[in-house]
Amino acid sequence: NACQTSCHECMRDYSNLAYHSILDWRLGIDLARLALDPAAAIDFTPAYWSNVPSLAIHRLQAALPGSTVASFAGLPSVVLGPRAIIAAHPLWDVRPGMVHPALSAAQAAASTAGLSSEFRSTFMLIRRPL
């Protein structure tokens, strides 16, 4: 929890300075898991993802006056007017017709609440909430 994406203790040094903004140790672990097992489940259940989606959503909510934090199908979200912005794992597919099942469930729950929905990866929420 002390290191949200990467730091000088583990991944950052002068030689990779140009890439500091995109380094993320959690994604590195998930990519390694996929390399070892292409069928590995990629989601927020591993301990190293604990609290990351919630923290990322709270960053967005703090940047959007009048918004509220909600949860749809277990995924943290920000509700602003008639829309819900749902936190997604950076490796989840969001293309129409290919949407990850967890996101489909969250989208259905938001729709039931009368909200349109969009997905934002935790990668982007942490780096650029807006």
Side-chain angles (χ1 to χ4, degrees):
N1 286 333
C3 179
Q4 278 195 350
T5 59
S6 65
C7 65
H8 295 285
E9 296 292 321
C10 64
M11 295 175 72
R12 294 182 183 185
D13 64 30
Y14 187 75
S15 68
N16 64 13
L17 181 65
Y19 305 107
H20 286 186
S21 64
I22 61 171
L23 294 175
D24 191 305
W25 66 269
R26 288 175 183 87
L27 286 177
I29 292 173
D30 283 351
L31 288 172
R33 288 178 53 226
L34 282 172
L36 293 170
D37 177 9
I42 299 299
D43 55 25
F44 292 125
T45 57
Y48 54 87
W49 281 105
S50 176
N51 297 324
V52 173
S54 180
L55 291 171
I57 279 296
H58 278 89
R59 282 182 56 108
L60 177 61
Q61 190 269 329
L64 295 172
S67 64
T68 58
V69 173
S71 179
F72 296 105
L75 292 177
S77 309
V78 167
V79 175
L80 181 62
R83 68 184 182 142
I85 303 166
I86 302 167
H89 189 287
L91 299 178
W92 285 352
D93 204 337
V94 297
R95 294 175 293 173
M98 312 261 315
V99 175
H100 188 276
L103 294 175
S104 291
Q107 189 173 39
S111 180
T112 300
L115 301 168
S116 64
S117 58
E118 62 186 76
F119 310 121
R120 188 97 37 98
S121 76
T122 55
F123 184 90
M124 293 306 293
L125 285 169
I126 290 169
R127 289 162 178 81
R128 295 176 195 91
L130 297 176

